[in-house]
Amino acid sequence: DIQLTQSPSFLSASVGDRVTVTCRASQGISSHLAWYQQIPGKAPKLLIYAASSLQSGVPSRFSGSGSGTEFTLTISSLQPEDFAIYYCQQLNNYRALTFGGGTKVEIK
Amino acid sequence: QVQLQESGPGLVKPSETLSLTCTVSGGSISSYYWTWIRQPAGKGLEWIGRIYTSGSTNYNPSLESRVTMSLDTSKNQFSLNLTTVTAADTAVYYCARAPVPSSKWGLDVWGQGTAVTVSS
């Protein structure tokens, strides 16, 4: 199975901050990666697909980059509604489309 | 606007079978991968498996021996059966949609989730 390691697992930031979350894959997955946002008590929401493509309706302050084994999700200016848990998911190995462990973004 | 809604028992006894259904409304069930994901309280997401509209399936190897998924295109529904459950299967279960090719698009529509507790 392909393992995904997210870092950090927790970060504290202020409104307006630039925030970066990293997702590392145990083997190369090309650009077959998605990012999700989950507000506690709610279903996850797709933010980014194909590593860097913004899902329709998602604010442009969210961006994704990377390919191969290292990927990043960046929030250019953190807003109050962005405090949530973020997950990456690899879409390369269809036998087990694993998720990363999550990164919780909290208010400083 | 496509919507997904999970349904099924909220309480299942140990060693029995967990059965959930996801109803697709506002769109066709054709030409997508239909996926089940679960999340134990306070923990991360676990991909359970998926079924394509042709009926072909892929299951998480860690659950494969206990999982069966099926599709009913006439009712716009797909289902999950998980046999011989234990307390470790207690979680919120989500259904979700993945457009084709699934290696590109991710899970673009999700149900609200349904909580399942395994307890006697």
Side-chain angles (χ1 to χ4, degrees):
Chain A
D1 289 1
I2 297 173
Q3 310 301 320
L4 296 179
T5 303
Q6 285 187 235
S7 60
S9 55
F10 171 88
L11 73 87
S12 182
S14 301
V15 173
D17 284 353
R18 181 182 182 88
V19 167
T20 298
V21 179
T22 298
C23 178
R24 289 188 174 88
S26 59
Q27 63 190 85
I29 58 171
S30 185
S31 62
H32 302 154
L33 188 102
W35 288 97
Y36 303 88
Q37 176 195 62
Q38 187 178 33
I39 306 293
K42 301 290 188 182
K45 171 188 171 184
L46 179 64
L47 298 175
I48 302 285
Y49 63 92
S52 61
S53 297
L54 194 66
Q55 174 69 352
S56 176
V58 174
S60 59
R61 63 181 179 272
F62 290 93
S63 64
S65 64
S67 67
T69 60
E70 186 150 339
F71 302 86
T72 59
L73 171 71
T74 299
I75 309 172
S76 60
S77 178
L78 199 64
Q79 297 302 300
E81 60 268 31
D82 301 337
F83 292 94
I85 303 172
Y86 294 86
Y87 294 95
C88 56
Q89 183 195 21
Q90 65 83 13
L91 308 172
N92 194 68
N93 176 9
Y94 65 89
R95 296 187 186 280
L97 300 174
T98 46
F99 291 91
T103 295
K104 186 174 186 179
V105 177
E106 286 201 342
I107 301 173
K108 182 181 286 184
Chain B
Q1 179 84 0
V2 175
Q3 293 184 316
L4 307 182
Q5 179 67 59
E6 305 89 350
S7 59
L11 181 64
V12 181
K13 289 182 168 56
S15 80
E16 295 191 344
T17 297
L18 179 161
S19 296
L20 297 175
T21 296
C22 183
T23 301
V24 180
S25 60
S28 173
I29 203 168
S30 297
S31 303
Y32 290 95
Y33 285 98
W34 301 98
T35 305
W36 290 96
I37 303 101
R38 70 181 183 179
Q39 184 172 39
K43 296 189 177 181
L45 301 166
E46 180 179 30
W47 183 84
I48 299 172
R50 68 182 189 179
I51 183 166
Y52 188 59
T53 46
S54 65
S56 67
T57 54
N58 302 112
Y59 300 140
N60 188 322
S62 69
L63 298 169
E64 190 166 17
S65 63
R66 299 193 292 129
V67 170
T68 305
M69 294 182 186
S70 59
L71 196 70
D72 186 337
T73 55
S74 67
K75 294 182 179 179
N76 254 27
Q77 293 177 335
F78 60 105
S79 298
L80 166 71
N81 275 0
L82 181 66
T83 63
T84 323
V85 297
T86 69
D89 297 309
T90 294
V92 174
Y93 285 74
Y94 295 100
C95 58
R97 184 185 81 169
V100 175
S102 62
S103 60
K104 174 180 178 181
W105 294 106
L107 299 165
D108 68 340
V109 180
W110 291 65
Q112 65 185 26
T114 187
V116 178
T117 300
V118 178
S119 176
S120 54

